[in-house]
């Protein structure tokens, strides 16, 4: 369960409060504030705070005095222009702060995105919960034979069951040892090993939590890489959940991101040359434009 009854009560209490403000609010985001959106078996993403909206992007681009909105159409057109031409700083005027609960092996990929501010739950100070990511059976797959960094054929039947049993048994055993090592005992006669040491025995599928604050430009960069079909499923589902939140927060900016980055494609100079030849009805092959077999395959995936 991602959230306990007490945590839910705290969230509900926070959601019941509101305060007048002169600051910009994005109605689409207000509806999500504080609510935990479940991800994987015990994880979640929830919005703790945000700054700005679509109008804040155009306001910064125009360096205007007022709210900045000349007309809705102008705002949307300007945002699309900024996205198309990599004029990225106006997007940095919007910020979001998320509370994320995620398995440690997902956190290791996530933390590589250096342009965010992070504060993680301390396993030196606190005791970690007995919560481990155990994949749903349909997400167990063999090593891909065509992509060294990916999954291939789905595991079924006995093999899938064996994997699940091993994951569950190893997680339980590691946590039991962790609990024994940190236990102070009834009369203080337990081992009472320091938490900072006992945690080293825990596997990478245990859950951690952090607050993660990032501006919209860098968030789009994160989403471009992690909501992509090549990203590992376990981080992709978090990125996809964040995409849904961002679409409600800054709908014009998100649509532009979807059109020009997420669903768009970047072509090299030889690829543009090949495309031009194709449009003229000429027969063209990789060698004609100096592309490798792999580049050509990736190019054909885009254009066919
Ligand atoms: C599918 C996939 C597979 C990957 N596989 C591996 C792997 O096998 N091994 C591995 O180690 N990593 C791997 N990574 C991580 C990857 O190399 C990047 O570290 C990660 O995606 C973060 O990207 P970033 O540096 O652009 O993002 P951020 O750290 O958020 O930075 C955003 C941008 O800011 C700029 N920037 C930030 N810091 C600096 C800096 N110090 N110097 C210069 N410019 C900076 C850069 O322009 C950068 O693109 C993988 C990522 C993906 C998506």
């Amino acid at each position: 369960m991602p959230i306990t009854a007490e945590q839910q009560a705290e969230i509900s209490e926070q959601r019941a409060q509101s305060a007048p403000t002169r600051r910009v609010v994005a109605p689409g985001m207000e509806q999500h504030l504080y609510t935990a959106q479940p991800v994987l078996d015990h994880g979640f993403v929830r919005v703790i705070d945000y700054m700005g909206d679509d109008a804040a992007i155009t306001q910064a681009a125009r360096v205007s005095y007022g709210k900045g909105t000349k007309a809705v159409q102008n705002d949307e057109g300007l945002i699309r222009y900024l996205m198309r031409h990599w004029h990225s700083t106006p997007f940095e005027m919007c910020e979001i702060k998320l509370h994320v609960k995620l398995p440690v092996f997902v956190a290791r990929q996530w933390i590589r995105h250096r342009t965010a501010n992070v504060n993680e739950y301390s396993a030196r100070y606190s005791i970690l919960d007995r919560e481990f990511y155990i994949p749903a059976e349909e997400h167990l797959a063999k090593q891909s034979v065509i992509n060294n960094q990916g999954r291939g054929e789905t595991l079924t039947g006995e093999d899938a069951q064996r994997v699940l049993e091993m994951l569950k048994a190893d997680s339980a055993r590691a946590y039991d040892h962790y609990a024994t090592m940190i236990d102070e005992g009834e009369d203080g006669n337990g081992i009472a090993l320091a938490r900072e040491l006992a945690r080293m025995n825990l596997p990478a599928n245990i859950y951690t939590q952090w607050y993660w604050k990032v501006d919209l430009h860098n968030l789009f960069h994160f989403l471009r890489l992690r909501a992509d079909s090549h990203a590992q499923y376990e981080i992709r589902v978090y990125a996809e959940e964040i995409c849904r939140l961002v679409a409600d927060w800054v709908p014009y900016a998100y649509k532009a991101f979807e059109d020009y980055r997420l669903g768009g494609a970047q072509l090299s100079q030889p690829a543009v040359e090949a495309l031009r030849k194709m449009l003229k009805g000429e027969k063209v092959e990789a060698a004609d434009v100096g592309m490798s077999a792999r580049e050509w395959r990736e190019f054909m995936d885009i254009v066919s």
Side-chain angles (χ1 to χ4, degrees):
M1 194 175 67
I3 287 275
T4 63
E6 295 95 86
Q7 288 163 343
Q8 187 51 56
E10 269 183 59
I11 292 171
S12 302
E13 194 187 324
Q14 209 173 1
R15 278 181 62 79
Q17 292 168 11
S18 60
T21 176
R22 289 198 175 89
R23 293 173 50 214
V24 159
V25 289
M29 193 55 132
E30 289 291 310
Q31 58 169 329
H32 294 301
L33 261 184
Y34 315 127
T35 305
Q37 316 289 346
V39 186
L40 299 179
D41 49 359
H42 301 291
F44 62 72
V45 173
R46 62 190 200 104
V47 182
I48 297 300
D49 207 352
Y50 70 97
M51 181 171 83
D53 61 356
D54 275 326
I57 299 166
T58 53
Q59 183 192 38
R62 296 181 182 121
V63 194
S64 59
Y65 291 86
K67 199 157 173 264
T69 315
K70 285 194 173 149
V72 168
Q73 265 171 332
N74 282 352
D75 272 10
E76 185 176 10
L78 178 54
I79 285 174
R80 293 181 72 79
Y81 176 89
L82 297 172
M83 183 68 76
R84 219 165 40 243
H85 295 278
W86 299 90
H87 185 354
S88 51
T89 42
F91 294 98
E92 294 171 19
M93 300 300 158
C94 293
E95 293 223 345
I96 187 168
K97 182 160 58 176
L98 300 171
H99 177 188
V100 189
K101 185 172 168 192
L102 69 176
V104 164
F105 72 93
V106 175
R108 282 197 61 179
Q109 294 189 341
W110 196 310
I111 202 72
R112 299 301 305 279
H113 296 266
R114 297 157 290 177
T115 41
N117 307 105
V118 188
N119 189 68
E120 188 173 5
Y121 185 86
S122 171
R124 297 182 72 191
Y125 183 81
S126 308
I127 297 173
L128 288 164
D129 290 331
R130 185 190 274 270
E131 284 181 325
F132 296 90
Y133 169 61
I134 305 293
E137 193 173 323
E138 67 263 30
H139 296 301
L140 293 176
K142 293 193 175 189
Q143 172 61 41
S144 166
V145 284
I146 47 168
N147 176 4
N148 286 337
Q149 234 181 8
R151 298 175 200 191
E153 194 190 322
T154 307
L155 273 193
T156 49
E158 211 176 293
D159 283 345
Q161 286 315 310
R162 281 187 61 208
V163 169
L164 289 175
E165 277 161 26
M166 283 191 273
L167 288 173
K168 284 178 195 165
D170 290 354
S171 304
R173 197 175 78 113
Y175 196 90
D176 286 347
H177 286 168
Y178 170 70
T180 303
M181 287 190 281
I182 58 174
D183 189 19
E184 290 168 5
E186 277 187 15
D187 307 316
N189 55 0
I191 300 174
L193 184 69
R195 290 165 196 164
E196 66 177 17
L197 285 170
R199 64 176 169 173
M200 71 178 148
N201 197 39
L202 294 167
N205 64 336
I206 195 160
Y207 276 83
T208 184
Q209 301 185 35
W210 60 34
Y211 269 37
W212 191 72
K213 181 169 76 69
V214 68
D215 66 57
L216 185 59
H217 165 64
N218 284 296
L219 179 62
F220 279 149
H221 180 65
F222 171 85
L223 296 175
R224 163 73 190 81
L225 294 171
R226 302 303 181 176
D228 184 84
S229 60
H230 298 94
Q232 179 168 349
Y233 166 79
E234 281 78 12
I235 193 165
R236 198 169 71 234
V237 284
Y238 283 90
E240 287 168 352
E241 190 55 54
I242 297 171
C243 281
R244 285 187 273 278
L245 296 169
V246 176
D248 286 342
W249 171 31
V250 281
Y252 295 154
Y254 184 76
K255 182 74 175 80
F257 164 70
E258 217 174 28
D259 289 352
Y260 298 120
R261 301 276 187 278
L262 207 52
Q266 194 171 337
L267 294 182
S268 65
Q269 190 270 328
V272 172
E273 195 185 328
L275 191 58
R276 286 194 175 129
K277 285 179 188 287
M278 285 170 167
L279 288 172
K280 283 187 204 155
E282 291 176 28
K283 190 167 163 22
V284 53
E285 289 178 7
D288 300 330
V289 287
M291 281 163 81
S292 69
R294 185 167 186 178
E295 277 179 297
W296 186 257
R297 239 187 357 261
E298 289 172 6
F299 169 59
M300 291 313 285
D301 280 348
I302 293 172
V303 295
S304 58

